[in-house]
Amino acid sequence: MSESLAEAELPTPSTGAKLTAEAIGTFLLVLGGVGTALFASNHFTDPGSGSAVYVAVALAFGLTVVVGVYAFGPISGGHFNPAVSIGLAAAGRLPWRDVPGYIIAQIVGGVIASTILVLIGLFGPDGWLTRAQDAGFASNGWGAHSPSGFGMWAAIIIEVVLTAVFLFVILGTTHKLRPTPFAGLAIGLTLTLIHLISIPVDNTSVNPARSIAAAIYGGLGPLSQLWVFLVFPIVGALIAGFAYKTLLDGTAKHPTLRQAQGSA
């Protein structure tokens, strides 16, 4: 049996399995990251209470991605983020026809997770849920909704740049010809670094599904600013996807191969 035929006959996950894996992985990401932001301290339920929780939140998002990539990556690729799916499609790693299903599954998984956080809050200390929602429910934002008061253009720039960085790392560590043995760890640590950089600016999105999941419970302020965290992570992902495919995905023919072809 030829190698190509053997590869073609290898069992592949069904579409339903892939979408379920994406929903569960995004559920884990939002539950772990946003849940840590809400429960680990009162910073996001009582604005101005200090920033020590930033490290815990950054690690929570990074760790959930590490766990999700290793648990569900073999099934769906482990995106858990509409921007990642779009960036991978731009780079030629994912068929564009698969992108809408991935995005819907990711949004559904994220919303289920934030809804569970709300249900937990209903049984929390007196007034906890009201304070959490008044503080934005760990949503992304700028101006009055930025932890350090950064403006809209700061949020736009940092979302484009850091999402592009995230996609470059993902594309580089998961390349089929030169994969990295610990790709999941590298991706998770990159997301941790991204959060350490940008939580003070806009609470860090780089993930429209995460932004939607928090904003729907964060009130009118976060909802009115949500468009930035839908549009600009995708812009950054598209830039990285097309740039990687154009600039870094090329391969050179071996000199002896060129000579053999020339003499043939």
Side-chain angles (χ1 to χ4, degrees):
M1 182 182 294
S2 68
E3 184 177 350
S4 60
L5 182 59
E7 290 177 352
E9 292 182 354
L10 288 175
T12 57
S14 67
T15 298
K18 291 178 181 179
L19 299 184
T20 300
E22 284 298 305
I24 296 174
T26 312
F27 170 89
L28 176 63
L29 177 73
V30 172
L31 190 73
V34 176
T36 299
L38 292 171
F39 299 145
S41 82
N42 63 344
H43 176 70
F44 290 97
T45 57
D46 181 16
S49 63
S51 59
V53 73
Y54 289 174
V55 174
V57 174
L59 286 172
F61 275 104
L63 289 172
T64 55
V65 165
V66 171
V67 172
V69 166
Y70 285 113
F72 306 112
I75 301 172
S76 66
H79 303 180
F80 320 138
N81 180 340
V84 170
S85 297
I86 291 171
L88 290 175
R93 304 282 187 89
L94 179 73
W96 281 106
R97 65 177 179 274
D98 292 348
V99 171
Y102 269 58
I103 291 175
I104 292 170
Q106 292 154 358
I107 292 173
V108 169
V111 169
I112 291 173
S114 61
T115 301
I116 287 178
L117 293 175
V118 169
L119 292 175
I120 294 170
L122 286 172
F123 301 96
D126 187 41
W128 182 92
L129 181 58
T130 299
R131 292 195 303 274
Q133 292 183 297
D134 288 344
F137 209 72
S139 297
N140 304 114
W142 70 83
H145 300 288
S146 162
S148 299
F150 285 84
M152 182 182 73
W153 280 103
I156 288 173
I157 293 168
I158 207 164
E159 289 299 323
V160 171
V161 172
L162 292 183
T163 307
V165 168
F166 193 38
L167 263 295
F168 273 118
V169 171
I170 292 170
L171 291 166
T173 56
T174 60
H175 198 284
K176 64 180 180 180
L177 298 180
R178 41 184 184 272
T180 302
F182 298 102
L185 184 59
I187 293 167
L189 289 174
T190 301
L191 189 60
T192 299
L193 176 61
I194 285 169
H195 278 78
L196 290 173
I197 295 169
S198 58
I199 287 177
V201 177
D202 62 2
N203 278 340
T204 309
S205 174
V206 302
N207 185 338
R210 169 263 189 270
S211 297
I212 292 170
I216 60 173
Y217 294 112
L220 291 177
L223 282 172
S224 70
Q225 297 184 355
L226 179 61
W227 65 276
V228 164
F229 306 101
L230 302 182
V231 173
F232 292 100
I234 290 173
V235 170
L238 287 170
I239 291 171
F242 288 125
Y244 193 97
K245 184 177 182 181
T246 302
L247 302 174
L248 298 173
D249 226 4
T251 57
K253 288 186 176 180
H254 194 279
T256 56
L257 179 58
R258 289 200 298 267
Q259 293 171 3
Q261 290 175 338
S263 62

